[in-house]
Amino acid sequence: MRPVWHLGAFAALSIFLVAAADGIDPWQARRNRMVENQIELRDVTHPATLAALRKVPRHLFVPAELRAQAYDDGPLPIGHGQTISQPYIVACMTELIAPTRTTRVLEIGTGSGYQAAILAEICAEVFTIEIIPALAGPASDLLRQLGYKNIRVRTGDGWNGWPEAAPFDAIVVTAAADTIPPPLLDQLKDGGCMIIPVGPVFGAQNLVLVTKHAGKIRTRTLMPVRFVPFVRDRK
């Protein structure tokens, strides 16, 4: 069964698309303030990332009852024990992979689809995996309704990545794993990078930047974070 908030999302989507067609977006000022006060003041400077955050309607990716908080400085629950990340974290992770118009990126943890939409505004192709069907389906529908043609959504265990689409220029993981999944390292293109939170569910987690050069893996710990756990298919 799909979450109730998804139905509200499509009602809001209809209003958003009509307003956009008329050149009016009542949420634009809030997106602009979000970028100015939460993102730029924390030294995120990547122009394409900032532009994407100003454009993507974040309020459509949260439950209807939380829509008024969509542009606040913090994560929000989206059901099934999952969250949409704080806007700054989305911006930071996007900037750190240095995406361009030619980047092919794999995202692990689609959630509501917001990070995938941000990446799709910048990258050539986005492959995103969500293990919870009740999130993957609505996210795929919403992304399609918003007109994204460069995103492919798969329901499955993200630990295994998307081998038939590899290698990837970049990988973005939006859930905390105890260790970096070896299949993702294998699917990372030489010269590519991965951004992933690493650490236990109850304990210290850190955002880690992984790079791959001449087959050698290097990691750099960036900052403490708090993410939902990496969910595995244990069947």
Side-chain angles (χ1 to χ4, degrees), residues 21-63:
D22 291 339
I24 301 169
D25 183 355
W27 297 87
Q28 186 63 63
R30 296 192 65 178
R31 285 198 294 280
N32 291 342
R33 286 195 298 271
M34 176 188 75
V35 171
E36 291 167 7
N37 298 333
Q38 300 176 36
I39 313 303
E40 291 180 315
L41 288 181
R42 290 179 172 134
D43 298 323
V44 174
T45 60
H46 186 245
T49 296
L50 298 176
L53 285 158
R54 288 191 179 97
K55 179 179 179 182
V56 176
R58 182 177 166 91
H59 59 281
L60 297 182
F61 293 88
V62 304

Side-chain angles (χ1 to χ4, degrees), residues 91-222:
C92 184
M93 294 177 74
T94 303
E95 179 179 59
L96 283 166
I97 66 166
T100 70
R101 288 295 179 189
T102 62
T103 300
R104 297 177 72 253
V105 61
L106 172 65
E107 180 196 24
I108 306 301
T110 312
S112 66
Y114 179 68
Q115 174 75 80
I118 295 294
L119 292 168
E121 289 288 338
I122 308 168
C123 302
E125 294 180 275
V126 178
F127 298 81
T128 181
I129 305 174
E130 173 55 57
I131 196 169
I132 302 172
L135 291 177
S140 180
D141 290 344
L142 179 55
L143 291 166
R144 184 174 59 254
Q145 290 291 326
L146 285 170
Y148 291 105
K149 301 183 184 302
N150 59 337
I151 302 177
R152 293 178 62 186
V153 181
R154 167 177 287 183
T155 304
D157 189 342
W159 187 274
N160 300 315
W162 201 316
E164 65 270 31
F168 300 100
D169 299 298
I171 299 176
V172 175
V173 182
T174 63
D178 289 330
T179 60
I180 300 171
L184 299 185
L185 295 175
D186 292 341
Q187 293 171 36
L188 188 62
K189 185 177 181 180
D190 200 67
C193 64
M194 181 194 319
I195 189 74
I196 177 172
V198 178
V201 177
F202 302 106
Q205 297 177 2
N206 289 291
L207 197 61
V208 176
L209 180 65
V210 182
T211 55
K212 187 176 186 179
H213 293 285
K216 294 182 178 180
I217 301 298
R218 294 180 174 85
T219 61
R220 179 160 61 97
T221 299
L222 302 175

